[in-house]
Every structure is written in C-alpha cells, then in structure tokens.
Amino acid sequence: MNVDFHSSALAESITALRERNPLVQCLTNHVVMNFTANVLYAVGASPAMCDNPEEAAGFATQVASGVLVNNGTPSSEQIQGMYLASAAAVAAGKPWVLDPVAAGGLPWRTAEVKKMMDANPATILRGNASEILGFLGGTSGRGVEATDSTTDAVDAAHELARRYHCVVAVSGPVDMITDGDELVKLSNGSAMLTQVTGVGCALGAVMAGYAAVTSPLNAAIAATSHMNIAAEDAASVARGSGSFAVELLDALARLSAEQAADRVKIS
C-alpha cells in the first residue's frame, strides 16, 4: 500500500469537502438526527433530514449531493422512503451510504436492507463487525453494539465489496476498509467514541458527504480518519462523555487537512 498516496488523498478530500459543502440527505434513525446534523456542519457539509416517501426520491434526485440510509429506528413508511431515495440516487449517479443497523439480529429490518442493497447497491456499506457479518447471515451483536472484532469481519467485508462492487467500511478499535481488492487499516480514535450515542450513525452521513467529492474508497478513509483524529483531540480535553460530545464537534471543525494527513495512522 502507498501510505503517502492515501495521506495526500485524505488532505485533498478534506479540502474538497469544505470547498464544495455537499448536502447530505439523511434518512436516519430518530435518536441521532440532531447530532448527525451538527456533525455534518462541523466537518464542512450540510444536512437535510428528508425521509418521507412523498419527497425522498425527488430530494435525492434534485437537491442532495449524497444520501445516507440508516435503519436504526425503522418504520414501514421510512423504509419506503429509503427504497425510493436510494433508487433515485443510483439513477441520478449520486452516492449513497447504507448503515445496516443491527443487521442479522432482527429479521424484518435485515431483509429490508438486503432487498435495498440488491436492488440498488450502495456506494459504501458501513457498519460494525457484527452488522457486516449479519448482513451475510451471521448473528448480529447486542443491538447496535458489536460482539465481533473487525478482524472477524474482514473476509465478509471483502465478499460484500466484490458482490456489490462497493466499498465496505467496518468500524472498530481498528477500522477496516476495503473495495474488494485493497484493504486499508486505520488506527486513530478514542474509546470515548463508544460512549456517545450516534457517532457511528453520524460517520455514515460524513461518508456520504465525502463520497460526493471524492472516490468511494477515499471517502470512507477520509470520513473515518476525520472522525477518529478529531476524537483524539476531543478526548484529551473532555471531562466525561457529555463534554466529549461537544468537544468532538469543535475538534471536527478545527482539524485541518494538513494535520489530518500528518497524524493519520494507516496501514
């Protein structure tokens, strides 16, 4: 792997995101909408929470730069909006990111995201190790929490990337990202990321923003690195999980392209 190339691409991606300010249509779970919107603003993108079936497709086609589908708190109506938005994004040549929350653990939602992916494959599939394994028929973790390691999910990630011709990003203490050929490991981050609701969900939205300005592999690397390096800065001054959430937003906004490229731990 050419580490210098990926570090340079990371800096270029952060600069491009802030210059172009992509608008991300978030069809996401109700628990994290506000935090996701604030994270998008902090990194340099913009949010729109448009998930109803009457508007989802038109918004994806005419307005959005990229689309996030996160099925964390799915209703039948929202799932319909997700189908329409993801199909519209593909038809319009726009990137969309699928975060299959609790895939493998709950049959209905698992079946729905699989049908969505089969009909209009996502640009990036992002989840924790248990969700990625669950997407292939394994048993999911404890709700949104992984009970498997990212290493356990590497083979599944490769298989899914090749099957759907997409990038698969597996989140964990060491993040694994693959396009089916290349495997990138990212080692930045803080354990405090697991103590704030919605960080992983927001990461999917950030990936959709980056995918609007760079290649899918670069987008997954840039989004993950931006989040994890900022988390290190936030954790260094936070007094607990509450202040960490606020400090994380500030750190995401402060992190420069040059700092990210210099500090990224990539292999």
mmCIF file of all heavy atoms in Angstrom, residues 8-50:
data_model
loop_
_atom_site.group_PDB
_atom_site.id
_atom_site.type_symbol
_atom_site.label_atom_id
_atom_site.label_comp_id
_atom_site.label_asym_id
_atom_site.label_seq_id
_atom_site.Cartn_x
_atom_site.Cartn_y
_atom_site.Cartn_z
ATOM 1 N N SER A 8 -2.032 11.860 1.314
ATOM 2 C CA SER A 8 -2.246 13.008 0.431
ATOM 3 C C SER A 8 -3.698 13.095 -0.013
ATOM 4 O O SER A 8 -4.296 14.174 -0.037
ATOM 5 C CB SER A 8 -1.325 12.904 -0.785
ATOM 6 O OG SER A 8 -1.549 13.963 -1.687
ATOM 7 N N ALA A 9 -4.293 11.945 -0.340
ATOM 8 C CA ALA A 9 -5.698 11.915 -0.755
ATOM 9 C C ALA A 9 -6.611 12.350 0.387
ATOM 10 O O ALA A 9 -7.646 12.995 0.158
ATOM 11 C CB ALA A 9 -6.076 10.518 -1.231
ATOM 12 N N LEU A 10 -6.239 12.016 1.627
ATOM 13 C CA LEU A 10 -7.013 12.439 2.790
ATOM 14 C C LEU A 10 -7.050 13.962 2.877
ATOM 15 O O LEU A 10 -8.122 14.561 3.042
ATOM 16 C CB LEU A 10 -6.402 11.851 4.067
ATOM 17 C CG LEU A 10 -6.909 12.390 5.401
ATOM 18 C CD1 LEU A 10 -8.400 12.168 5.553
ATOM 19 C CD2 LEU A 10 -6.130 11.749 6.558
ATOM 20 N N ALA A 11 -5.899 14.593 2.756
ATOM 21 C CA ALA A 11 -5.842 16.054 2.813
ATOM 22 C C ALA A 11 -6.655 16.683 1.683
ATOM 23 O O ALA A 11 -7.402 17.641 1.899
ATOM 24 C CB ALA A 11 -4.387 16.522 2.746
ATOM 25 N N GLU A 12 -6.523 16.136 0.495
ATOM 26 C CA GLU A 12 -7.267 16.671 -0.652
ATOM 27 C C GLU A 12 -8.770 16.505 -0.462
ATOM 28 O O GLU A 12 -9.559 17.389 -0.835
ATOM 29 C CB GLU A 12 -6.814 15.968 -1.930
ATOM 30 C CG GLU A 12 -5.393 16.303 -2.345
ATOM 31 C CD GLU A 12 -4.889 15.419 -3.474
ATOM 32 O OE1 GLU A 12 -5.675 14.563 -3.957
ATOM 33 O OE2 GLU A 12 -3.724 15.592 -3.873
ATOM 34 N N SER A 13 -9.180 15.402 0.138
ATOM 35 C CA SER A 13 -10.603 15.147 0.351
ATOM 36 C C SER A 13 -11.201 16.118 1.362
ATOM 37 O O SER A 13 -12.316 16.627 1.167
ATOM 38 C CB SER A 13 -10.815 13.705 0.825
ATOM 39 O OG SER A 13 -10.380 12.777 -0.153
ATOM 40 N N ILE A 14 -10.478 16.376 2.454
ATOM 41 C CA ILE A 14 -10.965 17.334 3.449
ATOM 42 C C ILE A 14 -11.099 18.720 2.838
ATOM 43 O O ILE A 14 -12.107 19.422 3.045
ATOM 44 C CB ILE A 14 -10.029 17.355 4.671
ATOM 45 C CG1 ILE A 14 -10.113 16.016 5.421
ATOM 46 C CG2 ILE A 14 -10.372 18.518 5.603
ATOM 47 C CD1 ILE A 14 -9.136 15.887 6.575
ATOM 48 N N THR A 15 -10.118 19.121 2.054
ATOM 49 C CA THR A 15 -10.176 20.430 1.396
ATOM 50 C C THR A 15 -11.357 20.500 0.442
ATOM 51 O O THR A 15 -12.102 21.496 0.417
ATOM 52 C CB THR A 15 -8.868 20.699 0.640
ATOM 53 O OG1 THR A 15 -7.778 20.711 1.573
ATOM 54 C CG2 THR A 15 -8.918 22.038 -0.086
ATOM 55 N N ALA A 16 -11.556 19.448 -0.334
ATOM 56 C CA ALA A 16 -12.657 19.430 -1.301
ATOM 57 C C ALA A 16 -14.007 19.483 -0.604
ATOM 58 O O ALA A 16 -14.935 20.173 -1.056
ATOM 59 C CB ALA A 16 -12.564 18.180 -2.177
ATOM 60 N N LEU A 17 -14.147 18.758 0.510
ATOM 61 C CA LEU A 17 -15.414 18.761 1.241
ATOM 62 C C LEU A 17 -15.764 20.169 1.708
ATOM 63 O O LEU A 17 -16.899 20.634 1.541
ATOM 64 C CB LEU A 17 -15.325 17.816 2.438
ATOM 65 C CG LEU A 17 -16.623 17.671 3.235
ATOM 66 C CD1 LEU A 17 -17.527 16.623 2.591
ATOM 67 C CD2 LEU A 17 -16.339 17.294 4.688
ATOM 68 N N ARG A 18 -14.780 20.856 2.278
ATOM 69 C CA ARG A 18 -15.041 22.191 2.815
ATOM 70 C C ARG A 18 -15.264 23.221 1.716
ATOM 71 O O ARG A 18 -16.028 24.163 1.899
ATOM 72 C CB ARG A 18 -13.893 22.596 3.733
ATOM 73 C CG ARG A 18 -13.915 21.789 5.037
ATOM 74 C CD ARG A 18 -12.697 21.966 5.895
ATOM 75 N NE ARG A 18 -12.898 21.320 7.197
ATOM 76 C CZ ARG A 18 -11.924 21.057 8.046
ATOM 77 N NH1 ARG A 18 -10.660 21.365 7.745
ATOM 78 N NH2 ARG A 18 -12.189 20.474 9.203
ATOM 79 N N GLU A 19 -14.639 23.034 0.586
ATOM 80 C CA GLU A 19 -14.839 23.965 -0.522
ATOM 81 C C GLU A 19 -16.198 23.779 -1.183
ATOM 82 O O GLU A 19 -16.856 24.745 -1.575
ATOM 83 C CB GLU A 19 -13.732 23.792 -1.561
ATOM 84 C CG GLU A 19 -12.371 24.318 -1.108
ATOM 85 C CD GLU A 19 -11.292 24.081 -2.145
ATOM 86 O OE1 GLU A 19 -11.537 23.296 -3.109
ATOM 87 O OE2 GLU A 19 -10.187 24.647 -1.993
ATOM 88 N N ARG A 20 -16.651 22.544 -1.276
ATOM 89 C CA ARG A 20 -17.879 22.246 -2.030
ATOM 90 C C ARG A 20 -19.128 22.131 -1.165
ATOM 91 O O ARG A 20 -20.250 22.210 -1.684
ATOM 92 C CB ARG A 20 -17.669 20.976 -2.855
ATOM 93 C CG ARG A 20 -16.629 21.180 -3.968
ATOM 94 C CD ARG A 20 -16.260 19.904 -4.669
ATOM 95 N NE ARG A 20 -17.409 19.217 -5.262
ATOM 96 C CZ ARG A 20 -17.332 18.073 -5.932
ATOM 97 N NH1 ARG A 20 -16.135 17.500 -6.092
ATOM 98 N NH2 ARG A 20 -18.403 17.504 -6.429
ATOM 99 N N ASN A 21 -18.961 21.928 0.158
ATOM 100 C CA ASN A 21 -20.087 21.899 1.091
ATOM 101 C C ASN A 21 -21.245 21.038 0.575
ATOM 102 O O ASN A 21 -22.353 21.509 0.364
ATOM 103 C CB ASN A 21 -20.581 23.336 1.350
ATOM 104 C CG ASN A 21 -21.701 23.400 2.360
ATOM 105 O OD1 ASN A 21 -22.729 24.042 2.112
ATOM 106 N ND2 ASN A 21 -21.543 22.756 3.494
ATOM 107 N N PRO A 22 -21.007 19.740 0.374
ATOM 108 C CA PRO A 22 -22.078 18.878 -0.132
ATOM 109 C C PRO A 22 -23.251 18.774 0.846
ATOM 110 O O PRO A 22 -23.062 18.815 2.064
ATOM 111 C CB PRO A 22 -21.383 17.520 -0.293
ATOM 112 C CG PRO A 22 -20.248 17.567 0.683
ATOM 113 C CD PRO A 22 -19.774 18.984 0.671
ATOM 114 N N LEU A 23 -24.444 18.636 0.299
ATOM 115 C CA LEU A 23 -25.643 18.483 1.112
ATOM 116 C C LEU A 23 -26.006 17.003 1.187
ATOM 117 O O LEU A 23 -26.202 16.360 0.147
ATOM 118 C CB LEU A 23 -26.798 19.290 0.530
ATOM 119 C CG LEU A 23 -28.039 19.411 1.415
ATOM 120 C CD1 LEU A 23 -28.763 20.720 1.129
ATOM 121 C CD2 LEU A 23 -28.997 18.247 1.205
ATOM 122 N N VAL A 24 -26.082 16.473 2.394
ATOM 123 C CA VAL A 24 -26.341 15.052 2.599
ATOM 124 C C VAL A 24 -27.793 14.858 3.043
ATOM 125 O O VAL A 24 -28.217 15.399 4.072
ATOM 126 C CB VAL A 24 -25.395 14.445 3.647
ATOM 127 C CG1 VAL A 24 -25.699 12.962 3.853
ATOM 128 C CG2 VAL A 24 -23.936 14.637 3.217
ATOM 129 N N GLN A 25 -28.533 14.092 2.261
ATOM 130 C CA GLN A 25 -29.889 13.716 2.633
ATOM 131 C C GLN A 25 -29.808 12.545 3.598
ATOM 132 O O GLN A 25 -29.317 11.478 3.250
ATOM 133 C CB GLN A 25 -30.702 13.329 1.405
ATOM 134 C CG GLN A 25 -32.129 12.905 1.700
ATOM 135 C CD GLN A 25 -32.885 12.495 0.445
ATOM 136 O OE1 GLN A 25 -32.322 12.504 -0.648
ATOM 137 N NE2 GLN A 25 -34.142 12.128 0.591
ATOM 138 N N CYS A 26 -30.284 12.743 4.820
ATOM 139 C CA CYS A 26 -30.171 11.729 5.858
ATOM 140 C C CYS A 26 -31.518 11.081 6.123
ATOM 141 O O CYS A 26 -32.430 11.713 6.670
ATOM 142 C CB CYS A 26 -29.643 12.340 7.144
ATOM 143 S SG CYS A 26 -28.018 13.117 6.994
ATOM 144 N N LEU A 27 -31.663 9.845 5.717
ATOM 145 C CA LEU A 27 -32.801 9.024 6.108
ATOM 146 C C LEU A 27 -32.277 8.145 7.229
ATOM 147 O O LEU A 27 -31.742 7.056 7.005
ATOM 148 C CB LEU A 27 -33.316 8.202 4.928
ATOM 149 C CG LEU A 27 -33.824 9.016 3.718
ATOM 150 C CD1 LEU A 27 -32.693 9.254 2.713
ATOM 151 C CD2 LEU A 27 -34.977 8.324 3.032
ATOM 152 N N THR A 28 -32.397 8.650 8.446
ATOM 153 C CA THR A 28 -31.673 8.043 9.551
ATOM 154 C C THR A 28 -32.568 7.875 10.764
ATOM 155 O O THR A 28 -33.742 8.263 10.750
ATOM 156 C CB THR A 28 -30.424 8.880 9.897
ATOM 157 O OG1 THR A 28 -29.580 8.146 10.785
ATOM 158 C CG2 THR A 28 -30.788 10.226 10.513
ATOM 159 N N ASN A 29 -32.015 7.305 11.809
ATOM 160 C CA ASN A 29 -32.856 6.987 12.965
ATOM 161 C C ASN A 29 -33.128 8.218 13.819
ATOM 162 O O ASN A 29 -32.340 9.167 13.852
ATOM 163 C CB ASN A 29 -32.254 5.824 13.757
ATOM 164 C CG ASN A 29 -31.084 6.205 14.616
ATOM 165 O OD1 ASN A 29 -31.255 6.810 15.663
ATOM 166 N ND2 ASN A 29 -29.882 5.837 14.179
ATOM 167 N N HIS A 30 -34.247 8.186 14.476
ATOM 168 C CA HIS A 30 -34.746 9.360 15.194
ATOM 169 C C HIS A 30 -33.874 9.741 16.380
ATOM 170 O O HIS A 30 -33.864 10.898 16.800
ATOM 171 C CB HIS A 30 -36.179 9.103 15.665
ATOM 172 C CG HIS A 30 -37.124 8.776 14.549
ATOM 173 N ND1 HIS A 30 -38.254 8.009 14.715
ATOM 174 C CD2 HIS A 30 -37.097 9.106 13.234
ATOM 175 C CE1 HIS A 30 -38.889 7.878 13.573
ATOM 176 N NE2 HIS A 30 -38.199 8.527 12.650
ATOM 177 N N VAL A 31 -33.144 8.785 16.916
ATOM 178 C CA VAL A 31 -32.325 9.039 18.097
ATOM 179 C C VAL A 31 -31.181 9.999 17.783
ATOM 180 O O VAL A 31 -30.759 10.783 18.646
ATOM 181 C CB VAL A 31 -31.773 7.710 18.645
ATOM 182 C CG1 VAL A 31 -30.876 7.946 19.861
ATOM 183 C CG2 VAL A 31 -32.911 6.769 19.011
ATOM 184 N N VAL A 32 -30.676 9.972 16.560
ATOM 185 C CA VAL A 32 -29.410 10.647 16.261
ATOM 186 C C VAL A 32 -29.530 11.812 15.288
ATOM 187 O O VAL A 32 -28.516 12.374 14.881
ATOM 188 C CB VAL A 32 -28.389 9.630 15.693
ATOM 189 C CG1 VAL A 32 -28.209 8.461 16.637
ATOM 190 C CG2 VAL A 32 -28.802 9.141 14.304
ATOM 191 N N MET A 33 -30.718 12.194 14.891
ATOM 192 C CA MET A 33 -30.862 13.195 13.841
ATOM 193 C C MET A 33 -30.148 14.507 14.166
ATOM 194 O O MET A 33 -29.411 15.057 13.340
ATOM 195 C CB MET A 33 -32.333 13.463 13.550
ATOM 196 C CG MET A 33 -33.005 12.384 12.732
ATOM 197 S SD MET A 33 -34.697 12.865 12.306
ATOM 198 C CE MET A 33 -35.174 11.470 11.275
ATOM 199 N N ASN A 34 -30.356 15.024 15.373
ATOM 200 C CA ASN A 34 -29.758 16.308 15.725
ATOM 201 C C ASN A 34 -28.232 16.228 15.747
ATOM 202 O O ASN A 34 -27.535 17.095 15.207
ATOM 203 C CB ASN A 34 -30.277 16.768 17.085
ATOM 204 C CG ASN A 34 -29.737 18.118 17.483
ATOM 205 O OD1 ASN A 34 -30.082 19.135 16.897
ATOM 206 N ND2 ASN A 34 -28.883 18.137 18.485
ATOM 207 N N PHE A 35 -27.709 15.158 16.357
ATOM 208 C CA PHE A 35 -26.249 15.014 16.432
ATOM 209 C C PHE A 35 -25.653 14.840 15.039
ATOM 210 O O PHE A 35 -24.613 15.429 14.718
ATOM 211 C CB PHE A 35 -25.892 13.821 17.321
ATOM 212 C CG PHE A 35 -24.422 13.690 17.588
ATOM 213 C CD1 PHE A 35 -23.766 14.582 18.416
ATOM 214 C CD2 PHE A 35 -23.677 12.675 17.005
ATOM 215 C CE1 PHE A 35 -22.407 14.477 18.661
ATOM 216 C CE2 PHE A 35 -22.316 12.551 17.243
ATOM 217 C CZ PHE A 35 -21.677 13.453 18.073
ATOM 218 N N THR A 36 -26.308 14.050 14.202
ATOM 219 C CA THR A 36 -25.823 13.844 12.837
ATOM 220 C C THR A 36 -25.770 15.159 12.074
ATOM 221 O O THR A 36 -24.786 15.452 11.370
ATOM 222 C CB THR A 36 -26.725 12.844 12.094
ATOM 223 O OG1 THR A 36 -26.652 11.575 12.743
ATOM 224 C CG2 THR A 36 -26.302 12.678 10.642
ATOM 225 N N ALA A 37 -26.803 15.969 12.205
ATOM 226 C CA ALA A 37 -26.826 17.264 11.525
ATOM 227 C C ALA A 37 -25.674 18.144 11.986
ATOM 228 O O ALA A 37 -24.989 18.784 11.175
ATOM 229 C CB ALA A 37 -28.163 17.960 11.771
ATOM 230 N N ASN A 38 -25.430 18.169 13.291
ATOM 231 C CA ASN A 38 -24.351 19.002 13.816
ATOM 232 C C ASN A 38 -22.975 18.500 13.385
ATOM 233 O O ASN A 38 -22.067 19.297 13.119
ATOM 234 C CB ASN A 38 -24.443 19.068 15.340
ATOM 235 C CG ASN A 38 -25.575 19.960 15.809
ATOM 236 O OD1 ASN A 38 -25.973 20.887 15.109
ATOM 237 N ND2 ASN A 38 -26.118 19.671 16.979
ATOM 238 N N VAL A 39 -22.805 17.182 13.315
ATOM 239 C CA VAL A 39 -21.533 16.630 12.835
ATOM 240 C C VAL A 39 -21.299 17.026 11.381
ATOM 241 O O VAL A 39 -20.180 17.406 11.005
ATOM 242 C CB VAL A 39 -21.510 15.096 13.007
ATOM 243 C CG1 VAL A 39 -20.365 14.480 12.208
ATOM 244 C CG2 VAL A 39 -21.356 14.733 14.477
ATOM 245 N N LEU A 40 -22.318 16.946 10.554
ATOM 246 C CA LEU A 40 -22.153 17.342 9.155
ATOM 247 C C LEU A 40 -21.745 18.800 9.035
ATOM 248 O O LEU A 40 -20.852 19.149 8.256
ATOM 249 C CB LEU A 40 -23.439 17.070 8.370
ATOM 250 C CG LEU A 40 -23.688 15.600 8.024
ATOM 251 C CD1 LEU A 40 -25.097 15.408 7.476
ATOM 252 C CD2 LEU A 40 -22.661 15.091 7.013
ATOM 253 N N TYR A 41 -22.391 19.667 9.790
ATOM 254 C CA TYR A 41 -21.985 21.073 9.780
ATOM 255 C C TYR A 41 -20.538 21.225 10.228
ATOM 256 O O TYR A 41 -19.769 22.004 9.655
ATOM 257 C CB TYR A 41 -22.892 21.903 10.686
ATOM 258 C CG TYR A 41 -24.217 22.290 10.075
ATOM 259 C CD1 TYR A 41 -25.410 22.075 10.761
ATOM 260 C CD2 TYR A 41 -24.287 22.895 8.812
ATOM 261 C CE1 TYR A 41 -26.630 22.434 10.207
ATOM 262 C CE2 TYR A 41 -25.508 23.257 8.257
ATOM 263 C CZ TYR A 41 -26.669 23.031 8.958
ATOM 264 O OH TYR A 41 -27.881 23.393 8.411
ATOM 265 N N ALA A 42 -20.142 20.479 11.250
ATOM 266 C CA ALA A 42 -18.799 20.614 11.801
ATOM 267 C C ALA A 42 -17.718 20.217 10.803
ATOM 268 O O ALA A 42 -16.668 20.865 10.726
ATOM 269 C CB ALA A 42 -18.671 19.789 13.077
ATOM 270 N N VAL A 43 -17.952 19.162 10.020
ATOM 271 C CA VAL A 43 -16.908 18.728 9.084
ATOM 272 C C VAL A 43 -16.852 19.599 7.837
ATOM 273 O O VAL A 43 -15.853 19.598 7.113
ATOM 274 C CB VAL A 43 -17.070 17.248 8.675
ATOM 275 C CG1 VAL A 43 -16.956 16.332 9.885
ATOM 276 C CG2 VAL A 43 -18.373 17.008 7.917
ATOM 277 N N GLY A 44 -17.945 20.327 7.552
ATOM 278 C CA GLY A 44 -17.952 21.185 6.375
ATOM 279 C C GLY A 44 -18.990 20.831 5.342
ATOM 280 O O GLY A 44 -18.982 21.367 4.230
ATOM 281 N N ALA A 45 -19.912 19.932 5.694
ATOM 282 C CA ALA A 45 -21.021 19.571 4.812
ATOM 283 C C ALA A 45 -22.307 20.180 5.365
ATOM 284 O O ALA A 45 -22.285 20.947 6.336
ATOM 285 C CB ALA A 45 -21.139 18.058 4.702
ATOM 286 N N SER A 46 -23.444 19.836 4.766
ATOM 287 C CA SER A 46 -24.741 20.325 5.228
ATOM 288 C C SER A 46 -25.729 19.164 5.283
ATOM 289 O O SER A 46 -25.667 18.255 4.461
ATOM 290 C CB SER A 46 -25.287 21.415 4.294
ATOM 291 O OG SER A 46 -24.480 22.577 4.340
ATOM 292 N N PRO A 47 -26.676 19.202 6.243
ATOM 293 C CA PRO A 47 -27.636 18.112 6.397
ATOM 294 C C PRO A 47 -29.032 18.468 5.905
ATOM 295 O O PRO A 47 -29.427 19.635 5.872
ATOM 296 C CB PRO A 47 -27.676 17.928 7.909
ATOM 297 C CG PRO A 47 -27.520 19.336 8.435
ATOM 298 C CD PRO A 47 -26.657 20.071 7.442
ATOM 299 N N ALA A 48 -29.795 17.438 5.535
ATOM 300 C CA ALA A 48 -31.229 17.568 5.269
ATOM 301 C C ALA A 48 -31.881 16.265 5.689
ATOM 302 O O ALA A 48 -31.523 15.204 5.179
ATOM 303 C CB ALA A 48 -31.494 17.861 3.805
ATOM 304 N N MET A 49 -32.814 16.336 6.609
ATOM 305 C CA MET A 49 -33.470 15.133 7.119
ATOM 306 C C MET A 49 -34.799 14.940 6.385
ATOM 307 O O MET A 49 -35.869 15.220 6.913
ATOM 308 C CB MET A 49 -33.706 15.258 8.625
ATOM 309 C CG MET A 49 -32.516 14.921 9.491
ATOM 310 S SD MET A 49 -30.900 15.476 8.934
ATOM 311 C CE MET A 49 -29.856 14.721 10.152
ATOM 312 N N CYS A 50 -34.712 14.471 5.151
ATOM 313 C CA CYS A 50 -35.893 14.317 4.298
ATOM 314 C C CYS A 50 -36.103 12.833 4.038
ATOM 315 O O CYS A 50 -35.422 12.233 3.199
ATOM 316 C CB CYS A 50 -35.687 15.071 2.984
ATOM 317 S SG CYS A 50 -37.097 15.024 1.874
#
